[in-house]
Amino acid sequence: MSSAPRKTAGAGVLRAALAVAHKELGESFRDRQTLLYTFVLPLCMYPAMFWIMVQGVLVVQGQKQARDVTIGVVAAAETAEAAREQLAVNEEGRGRIEVIALPPDTPQETQVIAGLIEAEEADALLFLPAERNDADPAALFFDSTSSQSETARGRVVSALEQWTAELRQEAADARDIDPEALEPILVQTRKVNPSKDDGALVLSLLLPMLLVVMCVLGAFFPAVDLTAGEKERQTAETTLLLPIPRLGLHLGKIFAVCATSMIAATLNLLALGLSAGHLLGQLAGLGDGAPKVELPLGALISIAPLAALFAFFVSAALTGVASLAATFKEGQALLGPVQMLFMLPAMATNLPGMELTATTAWIPVVNVSLAFRGLLVGSASAGPLLICALSLTASALLAIWFSVRLLSSEEVSLSSETIPMARLFRILRSR
Amino acid sequence: MTDLTSAIAIRAEGLAKTFHDPQRGVVEAVKGVDLDCRKGEIFGLLGPNGAGKTTTLRMLSTILAPTSGRALIDGIDVAEDPLEVRRRLGFLSGSTGLYPRLTGRETLRYFGRLHGLEGDRLEAAIARAFDAFDLHSFGDGRCEALSTGQKQRVSIARAVLHDPPVLILDEPTTGLDIMASSDMIQFIDSRREAGTCVLFSTHILSEAERLCDRIGIVYDGRMLAGGSLDELRAMTGKEWLEEIFRELVQRADAGEGAA
């Protein structure tokens, strides 16, 4: 066979393939889900979400920089005074660094220093030797589990870098040499909290996010299965004929989704809590300084009521949205962006400086994650926890109302096609 | 007269349903249906696809709320006390509507419990249903694994487990094979003797002719005529149900009022 007919045949196949691809693409782009995932999410939703996250980071960082911190300086009177002049610089938009001189005989003992930080005498302690001494370098003590102490550490380290650079420059000028020729002045940073607290800190970065993610993932498939799946299986009519009040029927579905969500979250938290210590130790090959991770049973029990409220909120919201879909596949597609709305704020709570306050406690999702984190490191206080409970209760009730409203709608419960979001508000408003 | 009224198990008066369709706007699916169906009577709703049969049955069984008009099931208003109506109703459709991951026995237990049967009464009712519909060989298997005919038998058992005075069947033989279809017709026929009021929709003329004490012809959301086969013959002057149906539809299309 000559090569010309072969080429012609090859071109024919390619032409056919292109024609098929053209038709399939055209058809795909008429599919709402494909459009959503191909264009709408990447072009609109994700950039908008990340913009909001970045703005949140900037706000948090700004707040962190605007905080006043107190540094206890342990040094001879002259050195302490020099430190006050160098550290206590007032810059616009930044909080004050207040320097207090502590008795020069304050012992460099972890327990004593931890006691001073806990008593809020100072947020961090700086020990400065009278002269440069490699055997006894400057040391900065802080509590890594305290956001305030951690902020103080960051700001003092930054200020000390500038000061030590100046000292190095002065010493070099005095000897008329290049400052690079001199050894840098060392400032050691030391944590006063026990490694067990560090373990809690590690868990506080993992478990709160996992709580949110697993609640959402645990609710995801049951929410679709009990709503869109029911329509697809043609059992919706059977269910509507059950001799029970409709409210009971719809609440029953939400309870079922919520139960799965809570089981998934509980099992995952327990599994991770139990295995974290072992895995972390193995992965890092760490020695005595390795964080000691123990199962935080107290925190897990304490967070349970808030987690249950959150699970109700997630389950009701996902069930409501999934009920708009006519098939399982469309239900999954609808819930994709919705689950991101839950997961991204939870991820944002891992940003440094984020903690449960009277303000953040009002923000659903963010609040449960921060509350759990606070309970894990022992920094949560009653007021914000109460606000968190109120906010989650309100969110759960609102989501249940939303879900029941949709499930009660004839247009939604028996529709053979997915309800577009544009009709959502009309359905919610209708009597 | 009193006896006749008390014998009425299903009554619809000016029953209407309007939907809002994004493409077509306001759609009047049912435009004022009147019907009476007595205890121990089999009433067939006959009409083409899209005539409004399913919507009418769904309103009567409380799945849909009527836009206007009134419907009573065993004397209970569907709008005022839908829950009590559902307690007095057995509903069946061609799609069976069985939960695929439950077994036949679990399905019966679930429905029986929600209908207020408990303990020995519930187990006795399930045992009776297993005997009556011969579910023994497959009733403990998941419904998703059953044949169409087996599903239909479980579905019938579910619909009558609580011994309802009214049965509403929406195209119950659609999609069934000959044997399953024949079983269904026998079942419907048997309910007459039990004193149950059976209202069923179909577009299969032979089924309606064979089973029904009275027939209602539904077309374009309206009840064109209703009565026994003889009454319909007298009304139209035609012999066969197919001819009667055509005659009534032609009159409706020509704008003539039906009886």
Side-chain angles (χ1 to χ4, degrees), chain A residues 411 417 420 423 426, chain B residues 20-25:
Chain A
E411 195 175 344
E417 56 187 47
R423 264 157 61 200
R426 193 178 59 75
Chain B
H20 180 84
D21 186 276
Q23 268 88 46
R24 294 181 292 165

Side-chain angles (χ1 to χ4, degrees), chain A residues 179-190:
Chain A
E180 293 295 321
L182 294 172
E183 288 290 318
I185 300 168
L186 292 177
V187 180
Q188 289 184 343
T189 52
R190 295 184 198 165

Side-chain angles (χ1 to χ4, degrees), chain A residues 225 237-239 242 410 423, chain B residues 17 22 58 65 97 99 101:
Chain A
D225 190 47
E237 199 172 55
T238 308
T239 302
L242 292 174
E410 290 173 357
R423 264 157 61 200
Chain B
K17 183 69 184 176
R58 283 180 166 182
Y99 300 121
R101 292 169 215 150

